[in-house]
């Protein structure tokens, strides 16, 4: 059934002008919904999962707020709200930057560190599910298109 729908959609797209923006938006909504559904099972949001993943890959599992804003292309006010909620749930703590004592960093707590394997496994499984059906050349083309769109911002 899914294959029939995919073929039908594929044929419709070749018969009509492809609206890349709409396809990207629909894919984004779908991926966000899937991540939020999974995150909810662990008492998190998708944004919190992404931040846990990002921080877990940084030196000392810490980064400053500006780095988080840049990584996810989100506004300072949005980042502040997400981080305040994570701090309230004891997922992050604010520490003094070891390289610049005037600055503060956000660091994962032991509570969040326990969630890291769950977060990594989910993201890895999703990435595999998304990419398994395509060749390296196809994935390279998709990545180039998406990077172009991001840079045109």
């Amino acid at each position: 059934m899914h294959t029939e729908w995919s073929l039908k959609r594929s044929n419709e797209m070749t018969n009509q002008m492809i609206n890349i923006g709409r396809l990207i938006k629909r894919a984004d909504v779908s991926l966000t919904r899937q991540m939020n559904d999974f995150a909810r099972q662990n008492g998190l949001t998708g944004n919190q999962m992404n931040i846990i993943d990002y921080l877990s890959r940084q030196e000392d599992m810490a980064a400053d707020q500006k780095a988080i804003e840049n990584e996810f292309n989100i506004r300072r006010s949005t980042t502040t709200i997400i981080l305040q909620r994570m701090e309230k749930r004891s997922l992050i703590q604010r520490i003094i930057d070891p390289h610049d004592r005037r600055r503060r960093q956000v660091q994962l707590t032991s509570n969040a560190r326990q969630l890291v394997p769950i977060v990594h496994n989910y993201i890895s499984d999703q990435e595999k599910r998304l990419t398994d059906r395509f060749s390296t050349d196809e994935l390279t083309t998709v990545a180039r298109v998406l990077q172009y769109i991001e840079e045109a911002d």
Side-chain angles (χ1 to χ4, degrees):
M1 182 97 161
H2 179 65
T3 305
E4 290 176 19
W5 180 84
S6 297
L7 290 174
K8 182 179 177 191
R9 289 291 289 173
S10 179
N11 289 337
E12 287 175 10
M13 287 193 295
T14 55
N15 293 336
Q16 300 173 3
M17 180 113 175
I18 297 173
N19 186 328
I20 295 294
R22 184 180 304 133
L23 288 173
I24 291 170
K25 180 64 179 166
R26 290 174 61 108
D28 176 54
V29 168
S30 178
L31 291 172
T32 299
R33 184 178 300 126
Q34 290 170 33
M35 181 173 253
N36 280 325
D37 289 347
F38 180 82
R40 199 172 301 113
Q41 297 171 25
N42 294 284
L44 301 169
T45 66
N47 284 334
Q48 290 171 344
M49 275 183 58
N50 281 323
I51 290 172
I52 289 170
D53 177 62
Y54 174 72
L55 289 174
S56 74
R57 297 176 192 282
Q58 304 308 304
E59 181 182 338
D60 296 325
M61 294 196 177
D64 64 19
Q65 181 170 331
K66 186 72 174 161
I68 295 169
E69 293 165 13
N70 291 338
E71 175 69 15
F72 298 106
N73 195 22
I74 52 178
R75 289 189 172 89
R76 182 177 183 191
S77 57
T78 302
T79 308
T80 298
I81 291 167
I82 294 168
L83 294 177
Q84 285 173 342
R85 289 178 181 160
M86 290 180 76
E87 193 169 25
K88 189 175 181 179
R89 297 212 34 241
S90 298
L91 295 170
I92 60 158
Q93 60 188 353
R94 296 181 191 268
I95 61 168
I96 295 172
D97 184 332
H99 305 293
D100 184 348
R101 300 195 59 75
R102 297 169 295 173
R103 298 178 54 164
R104 295 174 59 92
Q105 289 188 326
V106 176
Q107 183 178 52
L108 294 181
T109 64
S110 59
N111 291 344
R113 288 173 192 227
Q114 291 175 5
L115 296 168
V116 167
I118 295 168
V119 170
H120 284 185
N121 286 338
Y122 174 80
I123 291 172
S124 176
D125 290 349
Q126 285 296 89
E127 188 70 15
K128 184 171 174 27
R129 186 182 66 79
L130 289 170
T131 58
D132 272 355
R133 303 176 87 183
F134 302 100
S135 70
T136 302
D137 287 345
E138 289 171 319
L139 293 172
T140 300
T141 300
V142 169
R144 282 186 26 235
V145 169
L146 294 174
Q147 287 168 346
Y148 172 79
I149 292 168
E150 181 182 22
E151 290 167 3
D153 183 23

